[in-house]
Amino acid sequence: MCGITGWIDWTQDLTKQSAVLEKMTETLAPRGPDASGTWITAHCALGHRRLSVIDPENGAQPMIRSEGDNNYVVVYNGELYNALELKRELESRGHRFATTCDTEVLLVAYIEWGPAALERFNGIFAFAVWDAARQRLFAARDRLGVKPFFYTRSDGLFLFGSEPKAILAHPSFKPEVGPEGLAEIFIIGPARTPGQGVYRGLTELRAGQCLTVDRSGVSVRTYWKLESRPHEQSLEDTAAKVKELLQDTVERQLVSDVPVCTLLSGGLDSSALTSLAVDYYNRNGQGRIDTYSVDYVDNDRHFQAHAFQPNADAPWIKRMNGHLGTRHHNIEFDTPELTAALDEAVLARDLPGMADVDASLYLFCREIKKGATVAISGEAADEIFGGYPWFHREESLQASTFPWALASGMRADLISADIAAWIKPLEYIEARYAEAIAEVPRLPGEDEGQRRMREMSYLNITRFMPTLLDRKDRMSMAVGLEVRVPFCDHRLVDYVFNIPWEIKTAGDREKGILRRALQGVLPDDVLTRKKSPYPKTHNPNYLEAVRRRLLHVLDDSSSPLLPLINTKKVREIAESESAKSNIPWFGQLMSGPQLFAYLTQVDTWLRRYNVSVR
């Protein structure tokens, strides 16, 4: 994976602005620690930071390809998992290749097919191609939005980057936030509305979208989206198809010229991916695979099962490690490390995020990077197969809001009266929810229950899943670790989206069809294990540490957070017993301690980025 940035400007000669381009590119150095490159002409400037995974000796970017009198230049972040098939087809059409890297395949595919090449790609990507003859930039983002692409435009100027920090490094872009940005932070966050960049004037290209920039302006279109179709296969045929797609996806994503590992929690999803990876390694004589898990000091003493986290991972990790014979590495963190990493997580996201859930992943990835460059992870299985608790609870199914954000009223009460009157938080989230529901592709003939479950699937794939993909991308790439997510293969997502709910929950279990598909792949006890999310610390020391951290902010009259929040209400919560609550205000993991940590992250963000609210 890599970091990309660029600059189109029709009003000046960019060859005189190389220092600015270098500065924009350098902000992405953690994403690409292995190499750096820039390319600049009068009206187009492109920058790239490289993390070498395929063909490390070649594939430097920006990559230039000449066809006749025309030059095409690409900057690319991602991985094409069908690069070999595409390369063979392109060779049959007369193209020749100088490298074995997928960057060249992507560029030649664009030269051959233009924007229609997107329909042929299987992978995760964000890229931009400059067509010199036509003076046109074409950019695209993968179908599920695994790889990021932010941009801003104004008066003949277009800037883009893998992360906001690249655009923030340009002197014309100011770190300002208006009412919509504040609403995103205080009522939607740590999620973001698709396309919302939070900073004023910053947009994120949505999953499955592409854009063109030329002298006439910027045009954006959607090239892929979820579609509803009748599902006519039997339960057994459906399970067989799910297994076939998942196995093919995992095997494609194990291709690498650098070490690959898997993240193993002992749960259904990570155990399935690890089992398929071990089988592939065994069949191809590639030796033992490395697995990694994360835990926290004294979690074995302090863990208490509850509805959102029913069991601990440690015994199940040991079970799967013994079953598969992997080379396992257990990484453990303590409270001081977690609290210190809250700031690092903000700098990785350029925004406040999932508090210690982000911070622990950042630390985890940093440790993994010492032994591997590529990791396989189980994100997205719960969204596409319906594994989260809110798929199965009446209060969530009946709610007229995002089911992972049922505490909007409580959150709105934490905002200062003046700011609340300005941003209208409850109206804002209501409007964003209505937009999401209006997008759902309907299938004629569905009854009310089937219709609602289709809505729930769509909401989770398009609104909740991006939060976790953002988290995984930013925290892993902040330390130069590439994480691949097989459950985000668009073929699998498209297929599972149309499996009827009664088949998805086969055996009257959450993710029942996935469990059926994995029979014979996993031991029976692992196959039937109750879902438990990514582990967080249960150490009371962490609650006390983030409580003190927040109270310190509240006592600091210079804090930029104070005018934005109801300080009296926040202080009451911080000093009350309700701080110990396990009831989440966002997702499954963000409860009392995470609320305190999130607010301190907002304070850190406002200070470090010198954010203006206007």
Side-chain angles (χ1 to χ4, degrees):
M1 298 300 168
C2 304
I4 64 174
T5 190
W7 180 3
I8 303 294
D9 197 327
W10 308 113
T11 66
Q12 63 173 313
D13 182 356
L14 293 182
T15 60
K16 300 175 182 179
Q17 300 293 331
S18 59
V20 176
L21 177 63
E22 292 282 356
K23 184 178 179 183
M24 293 169 67
T25 304
E26 191 59 26
T27 65
L28 301 172
R31 295 186 72 91
D34 297 330
S36 178
T38 59
W39 180 88
I40 193 165
T41 58
H43 299 300
C44 177
L46 301 175
H48 184 266
R49 292 289 317 199
R50 187 183 186 203
L51 176 64
S52 300
V53 173
I54 301 293
D55 194 4
E57 299 302 317
N58 299 293
Q61 297 185 48
M63 181 177 283
I64 305 169
R65 177 97 176 193
S66 297
E67 292 287 326
D69 295 330
N70 193 13
N71 284 333
Y72 296 86
V73 188
V74 67
V75 285
Y76 161 56
N77 167 33
E79 206 77 55
L80 289 185
Y81 301 126
N82 64 336
L84 185 58
E85 295 100 312
L86 288 171
K87 185 176 183 179
R88 288 169 180 162
E89 184 175 358
L90 290 163
E91 285 175 332
S92 73
R93 292 171 173 262
H95 295 281
R96 295 295 174 260
F97 290 83
T99 74
T100 61
C101 69
D102 59 339
T103 304
E104 189 178 17
V105 173
L106 182 143
L107 179 56
V108 174
Y110 178 78
I111 293 170
E112 175 67 25
W113 294 302
L118 292 170
E119 299 169 12
R120 299 171 180 263
F121 293 162
N122 179 329
I124 54 178
F125 52 80
F127 69 87
V129 177
W130 174 249
D131 181 331
R134 296 176 180 83
Q135 292 286 283
R136 182 172 66 199
L137 185 81
F138 177 80
R141 191 177 182 204
D142 65 76
R143 294 170 180 86
L144 276 300
V146 178
K147 292 288 108 181
F149 188 99
F150 292 89
Y151 69 92
T152 187
R153 54 180 173 173
S154 62
D155 301 328
L157 175 74
F158 180 87
L159 305 171
F160 72 86
S162 294
E163 298 175 11
K165 54 176 60 70
I167 296 168
L168 286 163
H170 192 279
S172 73
F173 191 83
K174 306 303 180 187
E176 297 178 353
V177 176
E180 284 197 0
L182 284 183
E184 289 288 320
I185 294 294
F186 285 109
I187 202 70
I188 300 289
R192 280 187 294 112
T193 301
Q196 254 286 353
V198 179
Y199 296 93
R200 188 188 296 276
L202 188 68
T203 302
E204 186 172 25
L205 194 63
R206 291 185 61 168
Q209 286 189 335
C210 59
L211 62 77
T212 302
V213 185
D214 57 25
R215 289 183 181 273
S216 64
V218 179
S219 60
V220 179
R221 72 175 178 89
T222 298
Y223 70 88
W224 185 88
K225 59 183 178 181
L226 289 168
E227 296 180 355
S228 292
R229 294 182 298 273
H231 183 88
E232 298 174 349
Q233 290 180 293
S234 68
L235 188 153
E236 292 305 323
D237 288 345
T238 300
K241 182 65 173 178
V242 168
K243 181 179 180 181
E244 173 195 332
L245 286 169
L246 188 58
Q247 184 166 1
D248 177 71
T249 297
V250 170
E251 293 185 3
R252 287 177 182 275
Q253 297 193 20
L254 287 170
V255 175
S256 173
D257 291 336
V258 295
V260 179
C261 67
T262 72
L263 310 188
L264 179 63
S265 71
L268 180 70
D269 311 328
S270 68
S271 296
L273 299 183
T274 303
S275 295
L276 293 171
V278 167
D279 178 65
Y280 179 81
Y281 267 46
N282 289 342
R283 283 188 280 114
N284 290 276
Q286 292 182 237
R288 296 171 71 192
I289 199 164
D290 285 89
T291 53
Y292 289 81
S293 62
V294 63
D295 207 346
Y296 308 92
V297 171
D298 291 335
N299 245 20
D300 55 341
R301 290 175 49 209
H302 299 296
F303 177 81
Q304 292 184 347
H306 56 86
F308 290 93
Q309 201 150 20
N311 47 59
D313 285 338
W316 296 96
I317 294 168
K318 185 176 181 180
R319 169 77 171 99
M320 282 305 300
N321 181 43
H323 175 70
L324 295 173
T326 65
R327 188 184 298 109
H328 189 68
H329 311 263
N330 183 57
I331 311 298
E332 193 173 73
F333 303 114
D334 203 354
T335 292
E337 297 167 278
L338 283 176
T339 52
L342 287 170
D343 290 347
E344 296 295 334
V346 171
L347 299 179
R349 268 197 196 251
D350 299 314
L351 291 167
M354 296 186 74
D356 56 291
V357 185
D358 275 8
S360 62
L361 182 59
Y362 169 82
L363 294 170
F364 187 31
C365 290
R366 192 173 68 184
E367 291 302 308
I368 295 170
K369 176 64 177 178
K370 295 175 181 178
T373 303
V374 179
I376 303 292
S377 183
E379 266 75 16
D382 288 306
E383 288 88 346
I384 68 171
F385 286 100
Y388 290 122
W390 47 78
F391 277 97
H392 308 275
R393 295 185 171 188
E394 278 303 311
E395 65 169 341
S396 302
L397 294 173
Q398 298 301 323
S400 56
T401 190
F402 299 111
W404 52 85
L406 300 184
S408 297
M410 180 276 288
R411 295 189 66 182
D413 286 344
L414 302 183
I415 305 170
S416 75
D418 289 346
I419 295 297
W422 186 37
I423 71 176
K424 298 178 174 59
L426 296 180
E427 292 179 25
Y428 186 84
I429 193 170
E430 181 180 351
R432 300 294 80 77
Y433 180 74
E435 288 173 357
I437 290 295
E439 291 175 10
V440 178
R442 304 297 176 182
L443 186 65
E446 287 188 323
D447 61 30
E448 184 177 344
Q450 293 168 331
R451 176 190 58 78
R452 181 55 178 163
M453 296 320 298
R454 186 173 295 277
E455 289 177 351
M456 290 287 284
S457 294
Y458 187 87
L459 290 172
N460 277 267
I461 293 170
T462 66
R463 297 307 195 271
F464 189 73
M465 192 166 81
T467 310
L468 302 189
L469 294 178
D470 278 358
R471 166 179 169 258
K472 187 56 63 82
D473 175 82
R474 303 307 187 279
M475 299 308 120
S476 61
M477 295 306 295
V479 297
L481 176 72
E482 175 187 326
V483 177
R484 299 175 178 177
V485 282
F487 285 107
C488 284
D489 183 282
H490 73 276
R491 301 167 303 161
L492 181 65
V493 174
D494 184 67
Y495 180 75
V496 177
F497 179 67
N498 285 295
I499 297 175
W501 186 245
E502 59 270 22
I503 296 181
K504 278 186 186 174
T505 53
D508 198 27
R509 284 297 309 273
E510 75 281 4
K511 297 194 287 192
I513 191 62
L514 180 59
R515 298 176 196 275
R516 183 70 64 97
L518 294 171
Q519 286 181 352
V521 175
L522 295 177
D524 288 346
D525 54 345
V526 177
L527 198 62
T528 57
R529 182 191 172 190
K530 189 73 174 174
K531 175 187 167 47
S532 194
Y534 177 87
K536 67 176 182 179
T537 181
H538 297 271
N539 194 323
N541 289 341
Y542 181 75
L543 169 60
E544 189 54 33
V546 293
R547 187 208 305 265
R548 286 198 308 268
R549 185 179 167 111
L550 177 59
L551 290 173
H552 177 74
V553 170
L554 296 178
D555 290 337
D556 179 2
S557 61
S558 68
S559 167
L561 176 68
L562 301 189
L564 307 179
I565 63 171
N566 182 336
T567 55
K568 180 180 178 182
K569 184 72 173 179
V570 171
R571 188 181 293 275
E572 285 176 0
I573 295 175
E575 293 175 346
S576 72
E577 282 298 307
S578 63
K580 299 178 181 178
S581 169
N582 282 320
I583 300 174
W585 53 270
F586 181 88
Q588 298 179 92
L589 296 174
M590 300 189 71
S591 52
Q594 288 70 38
L595 175 62
F596 304 156
Y598 182 74
L599 290 173
T600 66
Q601 283 193 314
V602 177
D603 179 75
T604 297
W605 169 63
L606 292 167
R607 292 177 193 263
R608 294 284 187 94
Y609 288 77
N610 196 25
V611 176
S612 298
V613 176
R614 59 182 68 182

